[in-house]
Amino acid sequence: MGSVGQQKNSPSSSSSSSSSTITTTNSNNRSKQQQEEEEDTVTVYVKAGVDGERMGACPFCQRVFMVLLIKAQHGLLKFKVITTNPAKPPPEFKTLGLKHVPALIHRDDGCDALDDIIHYLDDKFPGGGLEYNSPEADLATKDFFSKFCFYIKAVNQDPSKLDQALHSLNTFLERPITNTTVTPSNGILTNGDTEHHAENEETDLSHHHHQEPPEYLYGPHLTHLDCEVLPKLQHLRVAAKALKDYDIPTNLRGFWRYLHAAYNNPIFMRTCPCDQEITLHWHDRPETPKLSHKRHAVIAKEKPKFSFDVPVRASVITVVEADE
């Protein structure tokens, strides 16, 4: 079982030669503070990789990890992520009746249903800018993963339904977003110059016609929907290529722009499992194409790499972890 993420360093111990009582008191205070911090730390268990230590490939675990990082960046919580083998869960799972990953433990509370985990984090630690309200975005993202799952399990090589779902998502991602500038339009003049006011109003109205595509599904920052969709898209991209030799069409400009934004976001990059883990995750699932034992062993021992390249870029980016 491994631990992922950062822990806040404890304050440095201050030395005192004048009074051992002061030193002892300070030490006790620090110990009590550390104990309170540990009790208030959110612990999340995620799937371990093939080596038992690194993070495995589970889009639901990555989703929770992303939400934790976003909330932590806003100073809303402290957390630690522990990789674990779901087949050999830690003792605390049995105590709290937990059976699956991702699983969350906070103080005396524990849950292992994905929706319950997200609800708990939002209820106990509200904020972080994750909220969104877009039925259009929900509709545009609802089909692609089920179509991918069907395609990767099917014997035939017809990806038409998957292509259709990705094109629908791309259409949504290419929609223009109008940047508006709110200006006084009640006819009250502040400078006594009607003509000058009209010119200013016309200039301000021209800002309403400036259009650009969104960076993420609901605007310029990650929301709960992005945390759900992006891990699934990465699984689709890597596993479909590895197991079915499927390439996402390069003409889906909005789609690739969206992935490009994710590949430049530290939240996504830090939580993303390597290509090998994604490939082996889907290889091990029922009804999916199988690799030979030899090929499986080779992939498991390869240096982790990450497909963070996009076709609209001039250079290909394939990130490989450096040897420690």
Side-chain angles (χ1 to χ4, degrees), residues 174-180 206-214:
E174 286 192 331
R175 77 198 189 282
I177 299 295
T178 302
N179 289 338
T180 60
S206 68
H207 289 234
H208 290 256
H209 300 290
H210 176 65
Q211 296 179 331
E212 59 182 18

Side-chain angles (χ1 to χ4, degrees), residues 140-141 144 165-174 217 229 233 255:
T141 58
F144 78 88
L166 292 178
H167 274 84
S168 296
L169 175 58
N170 180 73
T171 299
F172 175 78
L173 290 167
E174 286 192 331
L217 289 169
V229 168
L233 287 179
F255 177 91

Side-chain angles (χ1 to χ4, degrees), residues 12-79:
S12 301
S13 300
S14 57
S15 60
S16 173
S17 59
S18 59
S19 173
S20 59
T21 303
I22 293 176
T23 304
T24 303
T25 302
N26 289 342
S27 176
N28 288 337
N29 287 339
R30 284 196 303 272
S31 177
K32 183 179 180 181
Q33 181 182 1
Q34 289 175 349
Q35 183 177 358
E36 290 176 349
E37 288 183 356
E38 289 177 1
E39 289 178 353
D40 202 43
T41 297
V42 176
T43 302
V44 170
Y45 294 84
V46 300
K47 178 183 178 182
V50 291
D51 63 356
E53 295 292 331
R54 71 188 182 198
M55 185 172 172
C58 170
F60 312 115
C61 291
Q62 186 182 358
R63 175 186 176 184
V64 173
F65 198 174
M66 290 177 69
V67 170
L68 286 170
L69 278 175
I70 292 170
K71 288 184 177 290
Q73 281 191 347
H74 285 78
L76 301 173
L77 54 72
K78 296 177 183 178
F79 75 93

Side-chain angles (χ1 to χ4, degrees), residues 57-245:
C58 170
F60 312 115
C61 291
Q62 186 182 358
R63 175 186 176 184
V64 173
F65 198 174
M66 290 177 69
V67 170
L68 286 170
L69 278 175
I70 292 170
K71 288 184 177 290
Q73 281 191 347
H74 285 78
L76 301 173
L77 54 72
K78 296 177 183 178
F79 75 93
K80 60 182 176 181
V81 172
I82 299 176
T83 57
T84 186
N85 183 351
K88 299 178 180 179
E92 51 266 36
F93 269 44
K94 184 176 182 180
T95 302
L96 293 172
L98 306 176
K99 299 179 180 180
H100 312 286
V101 292
L104 177 148
I105 295 178
H106 180 232
R107 295 183 176 178
D108 296 327
D109 296 322
C111 52
D112 60 0
L114 181 61
D115 289 342
D116 291 343
I117 293 174
I118 299 299
H119 177 76
Y120 185 92
L121 292 174
D122 280 343
D123 183 57
K124 298 293 184 179
F125 311 98
L130 288 157
E131 297 77 13
Y132 76 98
N133 181 19
S134 176
E136 296 84 1
D138 288 328
L139 182 64
T141 58
K142 75 170 188 175
D143 285 336
F144 78 88
F145 196 65
S146 62
K147 295 296 188 293
F148 157 69
C149 291
F150 177 81
Y151 170 67
I152 203 168
K153 292 179 180 180
V155 176
N156 66 62
Q157 296 292 322
D158 180 17
S160 58
K161 291 185 178 180
L162 176 58
D163 285 338
Q164 183 178 358
L166 292 178
H167 274 84
S168 296
L169 175 58
N170 180 73
T171 299
F172 175 78
L173 290 167
E174 286 192 331
R175 77 198 189 282
I177 299 295
T178 302
N179 289 338
T180 60
T181 303
V182 180
T183 58
S185 58
N186 55 8
I188 299 175
L189 307 182
T190 58
N191 59 5
D193 186 348
T194 305
E195 183 178 354
H196 180 67
H197 178 271
E199 289 175 355
N200 286 344
E201 195 168 68
E202 183 178 352
T203 300
D204 291 333
L205 285 174
S206 68
H207 289 234
H208 290 256
H209 300 290
H210 176 65
Q211 296 179 331
E212 59 182 18
E215 188 172 11
Y216 297 105
L217 289 169
Y218 194 62
H221 58 82
L222 295 169
T223 65
H224 273 305
L225 188 59
D226 297 294
C227 294
E228 177 184 355
V229 168
L230 284 170
K232 292 178 178 179
L233 287 179
Q234 189 70 2
H235 275 243
L236 184 160
R237 179 192 183 175
V238 174
K241 177 61 178 177
L243 300 179
K244 301 278 281 192
D245 198 28

